[in-house]
Structures are given as structure tokens and as C-alpha cells.
Amino acid sequence: MQPIRCLAAAVAYLAVLAAPSAAGLPGLPLPVQQEGAVYRVLHWVLALWLVREINSLLNAWAENNWIFRSGKGSWDWPQETAVVTGGAGGIGAIVVQRLLSHGVTVAVLDVQPLSDIFTPEERKRIKLYHCDVSSPDAVHKAAEALRSDHASPSILINNAGIGRGNTILETPPERLQRVMGINLLSQWYTIQEFLPDMLKKRKGHIMSTASMSAFVAMAGQADYAATKAGLMALHESLTAELKHLYKCPEIKTTVVFPTWTRTALTAPLEKGIRSSGAAMVDPKDVAELMVSQILAAKGGRLIWDPIGVVPAIRALPIWAQALIHDHLAQVAIGNEITGIAK
């Protein structure tokens, strides 16, 4: 659709350029005194539309690793195996359900039992591997069992994550290591386990669940936000290595940035979130966005930001960034700090 929209914008803009005035455009019989103003408005509106569509087209091309063709033809969903960390509950469980509905074989790496949202039929089709993803040995053991039970996975969704609100001074070392291990280091371990087989097949998709906290860290959330910013760096480095080191741009990488999502972990913070003016989204919507990206065989960044301003916050003047941080400070520290997550 993007090439079609870009072509339509180009045709409309060229039509305006070719017309000597607004009166020369079909369907616009205007008084002479209004022709100049209408022509100028049309000229700039269509020019901006064309620039926007060209930018979108270039973004899509870049996110597809500068490959023109779609990679959807190489995927046969009933023949694919996906690994979902943290897939026993929350957003991950809904992602598992969506993948199952398309015939994908799903393996879940989690320390929790499967959620009650799964039907008996879905439970029969899910292979649950009890695995502490913060342990490289546990991840290797689960990966070996998975490869013995199924084909090597072509899809890796790193969704496991925890978060608890603590100030920097109140964060005990064991807690900090746990958050870093599950949210960030685990993704090194799973990528190291499953990427080599993807490289052999020259096909795969690696998806990481980050958070808007990667762009805007809040008081009482330093450990969580640091891991999510780290995931953004991991995604960018992995994408570059696949293209330039392994010469395998066919393997897609996606990093997801949900906003506040209505889960059990965000329940203690709902009052603060509402007072900040931020909206909360349904986990089903986030899961649908993630699975749609997999099915489209697209890579890139999925940012839950309808008006597209959050990633640009880092480019704002320091005083503007300070005002935003001040506004958001009470979301965590203004509530009982018991649990915080994407």
C-alpha cells in the first residue's frame, strides 16, 4: 500500500504543478480572488503529503533491510516453530494464542504455569519448558530439549520481563541483578541459542519487547528503564550484525515499545497513570500488533505512539525534557511502589 500511496501523492502534486492556477484544476470552479490562495494551499498540502509518503516508503524499505521484495513467501506458518519467553501469562500468553490460531507450533519458556486463558485444546498444542531465562545454563538446557522435541525455531519472541518500582538507593543488588537478568541479559542467551540455526536457514524473526520507558525514564523506575533502553541498543546492534557481519538481511528483527498496558503488574500504578494523562491499552491490542508484524514478515520498530512524539523527546531542549520528567515523576513515586511494568 505504501508505494501506491506514494504514487498517488506524486500524481496529485504534479497535477497541481502543471496547472497554471487553481482554476486550471478540474472540479474547482473558484472566484478569481480566491484562486491564488487556494492554489498555494493545495501546493503546500500536497507537497507535505508527498514528503510524508516518501519518508514512510523509505522507512519501510530500511526496516526491510533495504530489500524490495516481501519475505512473506518464504514462510509457511503450520511448518514454523516459535519460542515465546514469558509466554505463560500476560501479553505473552495472548501472543501465544494468536500464533496458535495461525497454525504455528509454539514453545513457551517460563517459570510460571500456563495461564487460565488457554483452552484445553490450546494447552495440548503448547510445549512449556520450565526455564529461568536469566540463567544461561537453564536457557541452553531448554533449547536442547526444544530442538529435540521440535524443529529449530524460526521465530524468537523475547517477551519475558519483570519490573518493580524502587528508588536507586533502595534497590538491593540481588533485585537489580534479577531485573537485568530477566529483562536484558536473557535476550543475549536466547539469541545465542537460536540465531545460529536461523543463519543456516537464512530465515528467521527475532522480536524483543521493550517499553516507552526506553525513551522516557521515570523516577522510581531506573532499573526497569535501563533494561528497556538496553534492548533498543541490542536490537540496533543485532540488526547491523545480521546485515554486515553475517550477510543475512533476510532475518528480521523487531523491537516493540508498548505504552502502559493494562496488566496485573500495572494495577498498583493506575491512579498515577491516569493522573498523568497517559492512556492504558488492552494487552490484546499489543499482542495483535506483535503477531501482525510476524505474519507480515516485517522488521523494524513498533512504537505505540499514535501521534509519533515519544521517540522525539530525546531531541527536545533540556528544559522541555525536564518538564516532561517532572510531570511523570509521580506516576511511580506518588503511589505505593510495589510493581511496575510495560
Side-chain angles (χ1 to χ4, degrees):
M1 287 298 294
Q2 285 173 324
I4 295 175
R5 291 200 307 267
C6 189
L7 180 61
V11 170
Y13 182 62
L14 290 174
V16 169
L17 286 182
S21 68
L25 296 172
L28 292 176
L30 297 168
V32 175
Q33 60 271 26
Q34 295 180 7
E35 286 183 10
V38 170
Y39 182 77
R40 287 191 295 272
V41 169
L42 279 173
H43 180 275
W44 284 109
V45 167
L46 291 173
L48 291 173
W49 179 30
L50 179 58
V51 169
R52 179 180 180 275
E53 294 302 331
I54 291 174
N55 182 65
S56 296
L57 187 62
L58 290 173
N59 284 342
W61 187 24
E63 289 181 337
N64 200 41
N65 292 332
W66 305 113
I67 299 173
F68 279 110
R69 66 185 183 280
S70 169
K72 293 176 66 175
S74 63
W75 294 87
D76 182 6
W77 303 117
Q79 301 301 318
E80 309 296 343
T81 298
V83 175
V84 182
T85 68
I91 295 173
I94 305 173
V95 168
V96 170
Q97 286 186 316
R98 295 290 190 272
L99 290 171
L100 289 173
S101 71
H102 291 278
V104 178
T105 298
V106 182
V108 171
L109 271 56
D110 210 321
V111 295
Q112 302 294 331
L114 292 177
S115 168
D116 292 338
I117 71 169
F118 293 112
T119 66
E121 181 59 32
E122 288 172 335
R123 287 173 177 271
K124 293 178 183 177
R125 298 171 55 198
I126 300 169
K127 184 64 175 180
L128 174 63
Y129 297 88
H130 187 275
C131 177
D132 176 1
V133 292
S134 68
S135 164
D137 291 337
V139 171
H140 178 68
K141 183 178 178 180
E144 289 285 272
L146 192 162
R147 285 187 284 261
S148 176
D149 295 337
H150 304 286
S152 297
S154 52
I155 302 166
L156 170 60
I157 301 178
N158 280 313
N159 177 75
I162 62 172
R164 298 187 65 83
N166 283 300
T167 65
I168 294 170
L169 293 180
E170 293 173 343
T171 305
E174 60 274 13
R175 176 63 198 174
L176 182 61
Q177 291 168 3
R178 187 67 175 158
V179 172
M180 295 293 175
I182 293 177
N183 291 11
L184 181 59
L185 298 182
S186 68
Q187 303 209 16
W188 258 268
Y189 308 148
T190 56
I191 290 170
Q192 288 169 348
E193 281 292 340
F194 299 118
L195 178 59
D197 285 330
M198 295 182 189
L199 289 170
K200 291 177 183 176
K201 299 176 182 177
R202 301 191 68 83
K203 185 180 79 170
H205 199 142
I206 298 174
M207 176 177 283
S208 300
T209 304
S211 166
M212 288 295 194
S213 297
F215 301 110
V216 185
M218 299 190 305
Q221 198 194 16
D223 52 357
Y224 179 81
T227 62
K228 298 306 181 179
L231 288 181
M232 182 161 54
L234 172 61
H235 163 79
E236 292 173 354
S237 294
L238 175 62
T239 303
E241 289 183 7
L242 287 170
K243 286 195 293 186
H244 302 293
L245 178 60
Y246 301 111
K247 311 298 182 184
C248 195
E250 295 87 352
I251 296 177
K252 307 301 181 186
T253 59
T254 298
V255 60
V256 187
F257 298 94
T259 185
W260 294 108
T261 306
R262 193 171 289 106
T263 65
L265 290 175
T266 57
L269 299 174
E270 280 206 39
K271 182 179 178 181
I273 295 169
R274 288 197 301 269
S275 66
S276 73
M280 296 192 71
V281 300
D282 192 294
K284 292 182 179 179
D285 295 331
V286 177
E288 187 62 42
L289 186 70
M290 294 168 67
V291 175
S292 295
Q293 182 83 345
I294 296 290
L295 297 176
K298 292 180 179 178
R301 303 194 302 175
L302 293 179
I303 302 176
W304 198 281
D305 180 19
I307 58 178
V309 298
V310 174
I313 287 176
R314 291 293 184 186
L316 293 175
I318 299 299
W319 63 265
Q321 294 186 46
L323 289 175
I324 293 170
H325 284 91
D326 292 344
H327 176 68
L328 295 174
Q330 296 304 312
V331 171
I333 64 174
N335 293 270
E336 180 184 358
I337 302 180
T338 56
I340 190 167
K342 54 187 172 293

